[in-house]
Amino acid sequence: MLINSIEEVRRNVKEWKKEGLKIGLVPTMGALHAGHLSLIKKAKKTCDRVVVSVFVNPIQFGPSEDFDKYPRTLDADEKLCNQEGVDIVFAPSPKEMYGDAGRLSNDTLTYVCPPFFYVNKLCGKTRVGHFDGVCTVVLKLFNIVQPDCAFFGQKDAQQVIIVKKMVKDLNVPVEITQCPIVREESGLALSSRNKYLTEEGKKDALVLNKILNNIKSCYQKGITDISALKETAYSFLTDKHDLEYLEILDRNTLEEKSQADNNSIALIACRVEGVRLIDNIYLGGI
Ligand code: AMP
């Protein structure tokens, strides 16, 4: 069932709550692919009712980012959700979510701002304000849907760490489940933004996964020095790759260390054909 209004979602949820049903939420920006579907399948397995939100959230995009051209495929998304047995596809308009706040800013809207320690690195460094936008919309969705559980992908590792932190710090009664990264057979992590890439660009994009796999195999062979592990990336990069960051941090806290260990995560952001791609890998197993 496709629903655009907050009030209608609330009406349905109220009935489910009366019946004591367990509700799962999968927040997405649409253009659904097998990565999103893995979250939906997990939600279906563990919850009685599943809501998928499809909302390209304007406040998490910077002024020079791809908000206008972000792929919007609501009909196809709805079909996929129906095939998976999703109970509600919640696809509000920006106006439904934010009212008439004009140019959205923290002059006109209450924002949730995650702590500086978590946002002054990785994607937060170049996407200033991005995680304020993410936390704000996620908390709004939690308040609208009031799910018992919400499902996020490891693909956006910094995002799920920040959402968990928000939930803990603000005592939000939602259990966060993280799901593994779904990849194409080639190793390329699925992303709605892969649609922007040409076939050649997709091949060049494989470098992200190659760099991460190589770092993991070097770590498994006994190299733990993080600078040395990061150095191994450079032989993979060509002029087709515009590296934004490559970091090896603690996978739970995003703390920097000098030596990698089984709690380390390697994260990369790189532009290929102008498309910003991200990927990551746990060095110590899944
Ligand atoms: P998005 O629509 O890009 O905002 O993503 C919605 C959710 O799907 C987020 O929790 C993402 O981390 C997750 N997701 C996106 N791509 C993948 C993937 N390749 N594998 C697993 N989860 C993913």
Side-chain angles (χ1 to χ4, degrees), residues 77 99 101 103 133 164 169 182 184 246 284:
D77 294 345
R103 184 81 205 113
K164 279 186 182 163
D169 288 352
V182 177
E184 286 185 1
L246 172 64

Side-chain angles (χ1 to χ4, degrees), residues 26-39 53 55 60 70 151-157 159-160 177 179-184 188-194:
V26 181
T28 82
M29 297 205 298
L32 300 185
H33 51 62
H36 299 110
L37 297 187
S38 74
L39 271 53
S53 59
F55 181 60
Q60 70 186 66
Y70 196 85
F151 298 81
F152 292 84
Q154 185 199 320
K155 164 81 181 358
D156 298 274
Q159 170 173 280
V160 64
T177 298
C179 303
I181 303 176
V182 177
R183 300 177 180 281
E184 286 185 1
L188 180 65
L190 294 184
S191 161
S192 306
R193 289 191 169 96
N194 292 351

Side-chain angles (χ1 to χ4, degrees), residues 17-171:
K17 295 249 170 195
K18 267 190 215 156
E19 294 173 49
L21 298 173
K22 184 173 177 185
I23 301 168
L25 170 68
V26 181
T28 82
M29 297 205 298
L32 300 185
H33 51 62
H36 299 110
L37 297 187
S38 74
L39 271 53
I40 294 172
K41 285 180 204 294
K42 179 79 180 172
K44 283 291 293 178
K45 249 191 215 151
T46 49
C47 300
D48 303 309
R49 294 289 181 272
V50 172
V51 178
V52 174
S53 59
V54 174
F55 181 60
V56 185
N57 176 32
I59 69 168
Q60 70 186 66
F61 287 78
S64 60
E65 292 182 358
D66 58 345
F67 173 70
D68 288 328
K69 75 164 194 173
Y70 196 85
R72 287 162 172 86
T73 59
L74 186 57
D75 289 346
D77 294 345
E78 192 191 353
K79 269 192 203 123
L80 284 171
C81 286
N82 287 340
Q83 281 165 17
E84 296 298 331
V86 168
D87 297 279
I88 290 178
V89 177
F90 175 47
S93 63
K95 188 168 178 193
E96 180 70 6
M97 288 296 274
Y98 296 115
D100 285 319
R103 184 81 205 113
L104 291 163
S105 74
N106 47 13
D107 290 339
T108 51
L109 187 73
T110 305
Y111 270 78
V112 181
C113 301
F116 188 64
F117 177 81
Y118 291 81
V119 298
N120 75 338
K121 56 187 72 171
L122 306 171
C123 297
K125 214 167 177 175
T126 45
R127 303 191 74 189
V128 176
H130 169 70
F131 289 110
D132 298 357
V134 169
C135 283
T136 303
V137 81
V138 168
L139 189 62
K140 280 170 74 72
L141 290 167
F142 286 176
N143 284 332
I144 293 164
V145 177
Q146 297 182 29
D148 299 283
C149 309
F151 298 81
F152 292 84
Q154 185 199 320
K155 164 81 181 358
D156 298 274
Q158 187 178 16
Q159 170 173 280
V160 64
I161 289 169
I162 288 174
V163 167
K164 279 186 182 163
K165 176 78 179 143
M166 172 185 79
V167 160
K168 182 166 177 265
D169 288 352
L170 301 182
N171 306 96

